Amino acid sequence: MKNLILASTSTLHNQEYLEYLLPLLKSHFRDCSNILFIPYARPGGISHEDYTATAQKAFEKAGLKIKGIHEFDSPHEAVKQADGFFTGGGNTFLLVQQLYRHDLLAVLKEAVNHGKPYLGTSAGTNIAGLTMKTTNDMPIVYPPSFNTLGLVPFNINPHYLDPDPKSTHKGETRETRIMEFHRHNTPPVIGLREGSWLEVKGKDIKLKGTLTARIFEADKEPFEVEPETVLNDLN
Amino acid sequence: MKNLILASTSTLHNQEYLEYLLPLLKSHFRDCSNILFIPYARPGGISHEDYTATAQKAFEKAGLKIKGIHEFDSPHEAVKQADGFFTGGGNTFLLVQQLYRHDLLAVLKEAVNHGKPYLGTSAGTNIAGLTMKTTNDMPIVYPPSFNTLGLVPFNINPHYLDPDPKSTHKGETRETRIMEFHRHNTPPVIGLREGSWLEVKGKDIKLKGTLTARIFEADKEPFEVEPETVLNDLN
């Protein structure tokens, strides 16, 4: 049975890394003695080692051990051997490029589809969608494809931001960007605000946290859904 | 002699489309009777026709006629025949995908390198850089490469935005994104604020407008340059 937590962000304002998610992690990973951290997205360009140390520090607070994928000779084998996964945020282009380089998409997808628990934050949540075409990140490297894990039947936009009515800036709003996405793509997009996450249990996908999420479907007006809404049947 | 205007944005707050650039356009395109508009970036997903009508309306105010590339049977031939170019903003991924689809990069680069005047705004400015890897846009389509025209020997980040010290949002700042770019790429990046443009005349590249620009070089602290600074020798 699929078992995923897909969070918009790792960190809330004035909180420690993963702080708001810690109460969940202990039960999410309760049967896991071998959790694998995927640090490839390297936020701010930090090293795999530093990023893994940050994740380890947070997981320790939940009584959990976690090991970085870069510590293994074969990343492919590391995914096969692990019994749980955490993919951290950072740059989605870099994350996806590295997943393709090490040929990890199929093996990771299979493991998670067979019930190994998965936690994603930000870029790690993005790749659970059908494609990475709704990331907010800068295309600093060229991945061989924008197709990602497809663990949920839609795309996700993490760190979703409402338009600022007072802004004088002419860059596109998030809503405009997703509207442009739907001129060329049909999958629904979930705009997931910071503090929200999706809980995937088997076939059920539920919005969690205290905030509404914004749903974009092709050729429809976007709309808001409340926490606890089941999102299995978006079009 | 190369002759380019590379503007951060088409439109300033409380102004009409291209309004602040109109005084320049008449002289920039003074010898041109056959200006080609490239509307492929389709801002907000609008049609090539609607976008071209918007550009035509603005150019008419400068006494200039302009024709959309989509009106020609052969876009390739249209570029060859034109004596000036305007590439409008919108989505850079879409723009670059279309330029590759119609095999226009080499022919456009050659025309501009041979002195045909070029105007770019936003995405149209982005593609004048070495790659599109410093665009702010959402990757809504997958182009066959991120390499662009290389009309200037660096990358450009249009709509450059300073970090907001009051923000509680955890998405990356523009500066963080460009720092991540420099973990994987060496070319300098010019953060071009809205209202600024680069004037390229032959070998000279000058910052124009009233604002400073932010320069990012790999392994260096970013720094500001004043208007009228010559930017030929960034590292």
Side-chain angles (χ1 to χ4, degrees):
Chain A
M1 187 177 99
K2 267 200 275 195
N3 185 17
L4 289 82
I5 295 173
L6 303 173
S8 174
T9 186
S10 61
T11 314
L12 292 178
H13 186 61
N14 285 332
Q15 287 197 7
E16 302 267 314
Y17 185 69
L18 293 180
E19 184 176 331
Y20 77 106
L21 292 168
L22 285 184
L24 291 171
L25 295 194
K26 203 164 183 161
S27 88
H28 187 61
F29 288 115
R30 70 176 162 269
D31 299 324
C32 303
S33 55
N34 193 1
I35 308 169
L36 192 68
F37 178 54
I38 302 178
Y40 291 148
R42 299 179 57 194
I46 62 167
S47 68
H48 294 150
E49 289 74 16
D50 288 352
Y51 196 14
T52 301
T54 301
Q56 281 169 333
K57 205 176 131 192
F59 269 64
E60 268 168 25
K61 292 180 195 163
L64 296 164
K65 281 198 196 323
I66 185 166
K67 216 168 165 183
I69 193 168
H70 62 288
E71 298 168 38
F72 294 85
D73 288 337
S74 162
H76 199 268
E77 204 52 38
V79 170
K80 274 193 169 168
Q81 300 299 327
D83 51 18
F85 306 95
F86 170 33
T87 308
N91 186 286
T92 311
F93 291 86
L94 183 56
L95 171 58
V96 171
Q97 187 218 39
Q98 292 294 309
L99 290 175
Y100 276 102
R101 171 179 289 178
H102 297 295
D103 193 23
L104 298 178
L105 278 127
V107 67
L108 181 56
K109 181 173 181 161
E110 196 191 339
V112 179
N113 273 335
H114 281 79
K116 292 183 181 174
Y118 181 92
L119 168 67
T121 58
S122 192
T125 286
N126 233 313
I127 62 164
L130 296 168
T131 72
M132 56 165 288
K133 290 181 178 176
T134 51
T135 178
N136 310 307
D137 296 335
M138 195 172 257
I140 59 173
V141 296
Y142 185 70
S145 165
F146 286 165
N147 293 333
T148 48
L149 296 167
L151 297 166
V152 289
F154 43 74
N155 266 24
I156 299 171
N157 179 251
H159 302 283
Y160 183 75
L161 256 189
D162 294 290
D164 173 2
K166 281 179 285 184
S167 173
T168 60
H169 188 71
K170 294 296 171 182
E172 293 84 354
T173 65
R174 196 66 60 80
E175 186 154 322
T176 300
R177 292 170 194 273
I178 298 172
M179 209 169 77
E180 290 176 354
F181 168 82
H182 273 143
R183 289 284 178 163
H184 305 276
N185 303 272
T186 54
V189 180
I190 300 195
L192 206 56
R193 294 184 177 87
E194 294 183 348
S196 297
W197 68 93
L198 300 177
E199 176 196 88
V200 184
K201 298 255 187 217
K203 287 181 182 165
D204 284 333
I205 307 167
K206 210 181 268 183
L207 176 64
K208 305 296 278 188
T210 59
L211 304 172
T212 61
R214 194 155 184 84
I215 310 291
F216 301 84
E217 296 179 328
D219 300 322
K220 269 202 199 172
E221 280 295 304
F223 57 96
E224 296 286 320
V225 293
E226 296 292 324
E228 303 299 323
T229 300
V230 173
L231 298 166
N232 301 1
D233 298 313
L234 301 176
N235 293 301
Chain B
M1 188 177 98
K2 267 201 274 194
N3 184 17
L4 289 81
I5 294 173
L6 302 173
S8 173
T9 185
S10 62
T11 313
L12 293 178
H13 187 60
N14 285 333
Q15 286 197 6
E16 301 269 312
Y17 185 69
L18 294 181
E19 183 176 332
Y20 76 107
L21 293 170
L22 285 185
L24 292 171
L25 295 194
K26 202 162 184 164
S27 87
H28 188 61
F29 288 115
R30 69 175 164 270
D31 299 323
C32 303
S33 55
N34 194 1
I35 309 169
L36 193 68
F37 178 54
I38 301 177
Y40 290 147
R42 298 178 58 191
I46 62 166
S47 68
H48 294 150
E49 288 74 16
D50 288 352
Y51 196 12
T52 301
T54 301
Q56 282 170 332
K57 206 176 131 190
F59 268 64
E60 269 169 25
K61 291 180 196 162
L64 296 165
K65 281 198 195 325
I66 185 167
K67 215 169 165 182
I69 193 170
H70 63 287
E71 298 167 39
F72 294 84
D73 288 338
S74 162
H76 199 270
E77 204 51 39
V79 170
K80 275 194 170 170
Q81 300 298 329
D83 51 20
F85 305 95
F86 170 34
T87 308
N91 186 287
T92 312
F93 292 86
L94 183 57
L95 170 59
V96 170
Q97 186 218 41
Q98 291 294 309
L99 290 176
Y100 276 102
R101 172 178 290 177
H102 298 293
D103 193 22
L104 298 179
L105 279 126
V107 65
L108 181 56
K109 181 173 180 161
E110 196 192 339
V112 179
N113 274 335
H114 281 77
K116 292 183 181 175
Y118 180 92
L119 168 68
T121 59
S122 191
T125 286
N126 234 312
I127 61 164
L130 294 167
T131 72
M132 55 165 288
K133 289 180 178 177
T134 51
T135 178
N136 310 306
D137 296 334
M138 193 171 259
I140 59 173
V141 295
Y142 185 70
S145 165
F146 286 165
N147 294 333
T148 47
L149 296 167
L151 297 166
V152 288
F154 44 72
N155 266 23
I156 300 170
N157 179 250
H159 301 281
Y160 183 75
L161 256 188
D162 294 289
D164 173 2
K166 283 179 285 184
S167 174
T168 60
H169 187 72
K170 294 295 171 183
E172 293 85 353
T173 64
R174 195 67 59 80
E175 184 153 324
T176 300
R177 293 171 194 272
I178 297 172
M179 211 170 75
E180 290 177 354
F181 167 82
H182 274 142
R183 289 285 178 162
H184 306 276
N185 303 272
T186 53
V189 180
I190 300 197
L192 206 56
R193 294 184 177 88
E194 294 183 350
S196 298
W197 67 94
L198 300 177
E199 176 196 88
V200 185
K201 298 256 187 217
K203 285 179 182 167
D204 284 332
I205 306 168
K206 208 180 269 182
L207 176 63
K208 305 296 278 187
T210 59
L211 303 172
T212 61
R214 196 156 183 83
I215 310 293
F216 301 84
E217 295 179 329
D219 300 320
K220 271 203 199 169
E221 281 296 304
F223 57 95
E224 295 286 320
V225 293
E226 296 292 324
E228 302 300 322
T229 301
V230 173
L231 298 165
N232 301 0
D233 298 313
L234 302 176
N235 293 301

